[in-house]
Amino acid sequence: MSAVAEVHGSIGVIGVIGAGAMGRGIAQIAAQAGMQVKLFDVQADAAENARKAVLAQWEKLQQKGKLTEQQFHSAKQQLQVVTAMDAMADCEIVIEAIVERLDVKRDLFRQLEAIVSAGCILATNTSSLSVTAIAAGAAMPERVAGLHFFNPVPLMKVAEVIAGLRTRSEVVQRLVAFTHQTGHRPVITKDTPGFIVNHAGRAYGTEALRVLQEGVAAFPVIDAIMREAAGFRLGPFELLDLTGLDVSHPVMESIYQQYYQEPRYRPSVITAQRLQGGVLGRKTGRGFYDYTDGAQTVPQADAADAIAGAQPWTGWIWISPENPEAAASVRALLERCGANIENTPEPSADSLCLVAPLGEDVSTCVVRQKLDARRTLGIDSLFDCQGHLSLMSNPATDTAIAQQARALLLQSGQGVSLIQDSPGFVTQRILACVVNIGCDIVQQGICTPDDLDRAVELGLAYPFGPLAWGDKLGASRILTILQNMLAYTGDPRYRPSLWLSRRAQLELSLKHQQG
C-alpha cells in the first residue's frame, strides 16, 4: 500500500499555489474551515495582496454577522503567506491554481515532488486540461487528481473531484473528505473534456445561439422565455454576457474539438464573430446587450413581437385534439382569457386554429392536419401554458391574425412572445438538449445521476439538474421532442441519448441506475 493510502482523518495543513481569484478563494474557505493554509505565488506581493483581500472579505462577513469575532481571528491565524515552495514540505494536500498550460502545471508538480512527502496529494484546479495528462509528468501519478472549484469559490458551493487514469481511489476519497471539510459539495467525475459542469452546460448557450441564428426570435425574447417560462435566473444571452465570450467561446470550441466534432457541442459563428470583434459582454460594456456603468440596457421590443394597437381576437378558436394533454392546458388558458372556444372535430371556415406540437413546427402540423395555414398558430404547452407564453406563426400566417391572437392571450396576465416557425419552439429545443446531454454524461459513466444534477444546480444555478428536468417534464415528452427534431432537421445534434430512450420506453426515472 502506498503512503498516500495510509493518510486518514481530517486535513490539517494544505498548500495553495497561485494567488489569483481561484487560489485566493480556495485559501479562504480552507482557512475558514480551520486548516492551516500556506499560500504561495511566484509574482512578488501577489500572495500578500490576496491575503489582504481575504481579510477584507472576512471583515465584511463579520460585520454582517456571518462570522464571529473568534472565527475571524482564528481564520486569520490559519492563513499564512510563504515566499518559497520549500515551505510546502509538511502539507498534506497542495492545490495548484496557476495558468492553464499543461507544460507549466507539469513542471510545477515535478518541483513539488522534490519537496513534499510521499503521502502528500497533488491536486490541480484545472477547468479544461486533462488530469491524466498533467499527472503523466509526475513520478507518482497515482497521487495526482483534479479538484476543480468555481469562481467565486466561497459562494459556489461545489467542487469537482477528478480522477485521472492512474489516480488511486484513496486520493479521491481524501479529496472528497477535504471538500466536505470546507463546507462545499464534492462531485466525483471521470477525467473527460469539460468534466461535469462545463460539459453539462453546453446545451443552454449553444442551442439558444442556434435558435437565434435561425431567426426564430430575437435574443432578448429568447432570454425572456427562458427566464419567465423555464425559471432560469439568467437567459442564455445574459449569461454569455456575464461570463464573457473570451471565456465562453473558447470553451465551446475546446469541448467540440476534444470530442472530435460531436454535433451536440457544435459552437456558433455568432459568438466567433463577436469574439473577433471584441464584443465580449459586460467586461467590454457591450455584448448582446449594451451596458452603462455596469447596468444592462434593455433593447426595445422586437417589431415582430409587439405591434401597437392590436385588438384581441374575438372570433372562434379551434384547438387541435392531436395532443389531448396539451389541448386541455390550452383550453384552460383560453378560458382564462374569455375566448370563444369551438368544440367541433374540424375547424370552421373562419376560426383561429391553435396547435401544440412537441418538437415539430406549425408548418408540419398544418400539412398533416389539413388546416388553413393563414389562420393557424402554434402554442408551446411544455409548461402547461403557465408563465411566459410562446405563440408561433408559420410562413403563411396572417400577421394581423397573429397579433390579435397575441393580444387575446395577453388578457391572461402572462407575458406572450410571438416567434417564427421552429421545430420545438424555444423552451422545448433548449431543455430537450440540456436533458439529452445530461443523459449522455451518465450513459458514459462520467458521474452518477445525483452528482450530475447537484453539480449543475450548484455550479450553473439551473432551476433543476438535467435529469430532474427530464423527470419533471416527462422523459417520453423529451424523447418525442428530440425524435421529431431529428426527423425534421436531419441534424445529429438532436439524436436521443440511449440512457434517455431506454428509460422513457420503460417509464423509469432518468435517475434510475441499473442494478
Side-chain angles (χ1 to χ4, degrees):
M1 184 175 290
S2 74
V4 169
E6 297 171 357
V7 180
H8 300 289
S10 61
I11 299 296
V13 184
I14 75 160
V16 177
I17 298 180
M22 297 305 299
R24 182 173 70 237
I26 296 167
Q28 177 180 333
I29 63 171
Q32 279 180 230
M35 286 170 258
Q36 182 183 353
V37 180
K38 297 184 177 184
L39 180 61
F40 172 77
D41 196 289
V42 293
Q43 294 185 11
D45 299 327
E48 181 57 36
N49 289 337
R51 178 179 175 275
K52 291 177 181 177
V54 170
L55 293 180
Q57 286 297 316
W58 284 335
E59 287 177 352
K60 290 179 181 178
L61 291 174
Q62 186 182 359
Q63 292 167 4
K64 293 178 180 179
K66 296 182 179 180
L67 207 66
T68 67
E69 183 177 354
Q70 182 179 354
Q71 288 171 329
F72 169 69
H73 287 294
S74 176
K76 182 179 178 180
Q77 293 299 316
Q78 295 297 94
L79 181 56
Q80 174 188 358
V81 168
V82 298
T83 57
M85 282 200 297
D86 288 347
M88 304 284 177
D90 62 342
C91 289
E92 297 160 65
I93 298 174
V94 177
I95 305 167
E96 69 79 12
I98 61 174
V99 64
E100 285 287 271
R101 280 181 50 186
L102 178 61
D103 59 336
V104 178
K105 291 181 187 292
R106 278 181 169 178
D107 184 61
L108 172 63
F109 280 178
R110 278 193 290 265
Q111 292 179 59
L112 282 170
E113 284 192 302
I115 298 170
V116 300
S117 69
C120 179
I121 294 171
L122 302 181
T124 171
N125 186 59
T126 184
S127 61
S128 60
L129 298 176
S130 165
V131 173
T132 300
I134 294 170
M140 293 177 59
E142 65 273 12
R143 66 161 163 188
V144 178
L147 186 59
H148 180 215
F149 288 90
F150 296 84
N151 192 31
V153 177
L155 300 180
M156 303 296 283
K157 299 289 188 177
V158 64
E160 295 172 320
V161 180
I162 307 117
L165 283 178
R166 299 178 64 180
T167 305
R168 291 183 61 88
S169 61
E170 293 85 353
V171 170
V172 172
Q173 293 164 13
R174 193 76 165 135
L175 290 176
V176 165
F178 165 76
T179 306
H180 277 303
Q181 201 174 332
T182 66
H184 279 45
R185 166 66 186 260
V187 289
I188 300 173
T189 172
K190 286 184 178 178
D191 185 20
T192 53
F195 309 131
I196 300 175
V197 174
N198 282 332
H199 188 168
R202 290 310 87 219
Y204 191 56
T206 54
E207 190 60 24
L209 285 161
R210 188 71 185 173
V211 172
L212 179 65
Q213 187 174 336
E214 292 175 9
V216 176
F219 67 84
V221 174
I222 297 170
D223 277 350
I225 291 170
M226 294 310 295
R227 285 195 318 270
E228 299 167 24
F232 283 79
R233 189 177 302 172
L234 294 174
F237 299 98
E238 292 172 317
L239 182 59
L240 287 169
D241 274 2
L242 178 64
T243 306
L245 292 187
D246 55 331
V247 175
S248 298
H249 186 77
V251 171
M252 293 181 200
E253 289 193 331
S254 174
I255 291 180
Y256 179 63
Q257 295 300 335
Q258 287 184 76
Y259 273 103
Y260 297 98
Q261 294 82 50
E262 162 59 54
R264 290 189 181 113
Y265 312 130
R266 189 184 305 128
S268 171
V269 296
I270 294 174
T271 49
Q273 183 185 56
R274 285 173 169 266
L275 177 59
Q276 292 169 351
V279 184
L280 307 181
R282 285 181 178 269
K283 63 182 65 177
T284 58
R286 184 183 175 196
F288 289 97
Y289 298 90
D290 289 338
Y291 298 88
T292 303
D293 296 327
Q296 176 182 301
T297 302
V298 180
Q300 293 183 346
D302 189 83
D305 197 50
I307 295 179
Q311 297 299 311
W313 175 267
T314 56
W316 290 100
I317 301 179
W318 179 84
I319 306 168
S320 169
E322 267 202 342
N323 184 341
E325 183 180 352
S329 62
V330 174
R331 175 178 290 274
L333 169 66
L334 292 177
E335 287 173 350
R336 294 199 298 273
C337 297
N340 298 311
I341 302 172
E342 192 170 49
N343 298 304
T344 58
E346 304 292 334
S348 59
D350 297 323
S351 61
L352 168 64
C353 303
L354 283 182
V355 296
L358 289 174
E360 292 183 320
D361 60 5
V362 178
S363 298
T364 300
C365 295
V366 165
V367 173
R368 184 176 61 248
Q369 299 181 52
K370 298 181 173 58
L371 303 175
D372 182 348
R374 188 180 63 88
R375 297 181 291 111
T376 303
L377 291 158
I379 187 167
D380 188 358
S381 64
L382 188 64
F383 291 96
D384 298 324
C385 298
Q386 301 294 325
H388 196 103
L389 301 171
S390 292
L391 192 63
M392 190 161 69
S393 63
N394 69 77
T397 302
D398 184 284
T399 301
I401 291 176
Q403 289 298 334
Q404 289 172 39
R406 180 177 183 272
L408 172 67
L409 295 183
L410 284 170
Q411 295 183 163
S412 67
Q414 299 165 241
V416 184
S417 289
L418 181 60
I419 66 175
Q420 301 300 309
D421 215 2
S422 165
F425 295 88
V426 174
T427 61
Q428 291 181 22
R429 290 181 63 162
I430 295 175
L431 290 177
C433 289
V434 167
V435 173
N436 198 40
I437 286 179
C439 286
D440 210 51
I441 287 173
V442 291
Q443 178 66 44
Q444 294 179 49
I446 293 171
C447 64
T448 66
D450 283 342
D451 274 358
L452 168 67
D453 274 1
R454 184 55 61 90
V456 169
E457 289 169 9
L458 295 176
L460 295 174
Y462 285 8
F464 303 95
L467 305 184
W469 261 124
D471 283 347
K472 177 180 174 63
L473 299 173
S476 60
R477 287 208 291 175
I478 297 295
L479 179 59
T480 297
I481 291 167
L482 291 167
Q483 289 173 331
N484 287 339
M485 290 176 66
L486 177 62
Y488 186 85
T489 66
D491 191 336
R493 73 191 281 127
Y494 303 120
R495 70 190 190 283
S497 163
L498 296 176
W499 183 280
L500 169 64
S501 298
R502 290 165 181 154
R503 281 153 185 77
Q505 290 167 345
L506 298 173
E507 298 183 349
L508 297 172
S509 165
L510 291 181
K511 293 191 176 185
H512 177 81
Q513 299 181 77
Q514 188 170 348

